[in-house]
Amino acid sequence: MNKCFCLALLVGGVLNGLAQSYPTAARLEGEYYVTAYARHYNVPVRFVRAIVEQESSWRPCPVSPKGAAGLMQLMPVTAARLGVQDRCNMSENVSGGVRHLAWLARKFSGDLRLAAAAYLAGEEVIARRGLLYRNREVVAYVSRIGKSYPYQFAEDSGTLSTALRSRTIR
């Protein structure tokens, strides 16, 4: 039996549904940090998983043409602001990315659509324009997050508030 498959079975509820896809060791590590930090910072686990899926497809340290790096694709300035010294260190990257998402979700009163848009485009432009910001890339990104979010397998016990549990992103 595949070692990753056995590990996924041992981890249990946190990785519900992933055992069938035979995740790599890096994916399992990423899932662990995503779940742990999302719960710690009270961000929906499924939301963070959807962001990671869009940002890096669970690759541990891709670097984008614009300079974003790591599982959550942190830009150098954002990483520095969050105290992330090594953007390719999965724990640091996910911790910083989830803290940033938690801050954005609070800034936008729990509206995860705006938090996702701001994660991609920056909080200043989204704060000024909100959902009226019609950049094609941002609209497509938020739409992909909204479609992926309900289908993520991890438990969604970490939330910003009870009100957020009933909120959906479109």
Side-chain angles (χ1 to χ4, degrees):
M1 193 182 296
N2 183 306
K3 287 182 186 177
C4 289
F5 180 75
C6 291
L7 182 56
L9 289 174
L10 290 174
V11 172
V14 171
L15 300 178
N16 219 1
L18 289 177
Q20 295 173 349
S21 65
Y22 301 102
T24 65
R27 172 73 184 255
L28 290 171
E29 183 181 0
E31 292 279 357
Y32 170 80
Y33 289 123
V34 163
T35 301
Y37 287 119
R39 287 180 177 166
H40 180 78
Y41 292 110
N42 296 316
V43 177
V45 173
R46 292 182 301 160
F47 179 63
V48 177
R49 292 183 86 250
I51 294 286
V52 170
E53 183 68 36
Q54 290 303 306
E55 291 293 332
S56 66
S57 298
W58 294 95
R59 291 185 319 258
C61 194
V63 179
S64 77
K66 293 182 179 179
L71 203 62
M72 295 197 72
Q73 288 291 282
L74 296 177
M75 292 296 284
V77 172
T78 304
R81 187 176 74 213
L82 295 165
V84 174
Q85 295 177 5
D86 181 358
R87 294 180 296 149
C88 287
N89 176 298
M90 206 177 297
S91 177
E92 282 188 58
N93 185 280
V94 174
S95 174
V98 173
R99 277 184 284 130
H100 187 53
L101 282 173
W103 181 82
L104 290 170
R106 284 190 305 274
K107 178 176 179 68
F108 294 108
S109 302
D111 190 326
L112 297 181
R113 295 170 300 174
L114 292 174
Y119 194 82
L120 180 69
E123 58 266 12
E124 298 85 16
V125 69
I126 302 304
R128 282 194 311 272
R129 304 282 310 276
L131 292 175
L132 298 176
Y133 186 61
R134 304 310 291 168
N135 175 288
R136 282 187 200 162
E137 181 185 7
V138 175
V139 171
Y141 179 84
V142 172
S143 177
R144 286 190 307 269
I145 296 296
K147 287 176 184 169
S148 176
Y149 177 59
Y151 301 105
Q152 297 299 328
F153 295 112
E155 289 181 38
D156 193 14
S157 62
T159 55
L160 285 167
S161 68
T162 305
L164 275 184
R165 285 188 209 130
S166 62
R167 246 181 228 264
T168 59
I169 45 178
R170 295 174 198 119

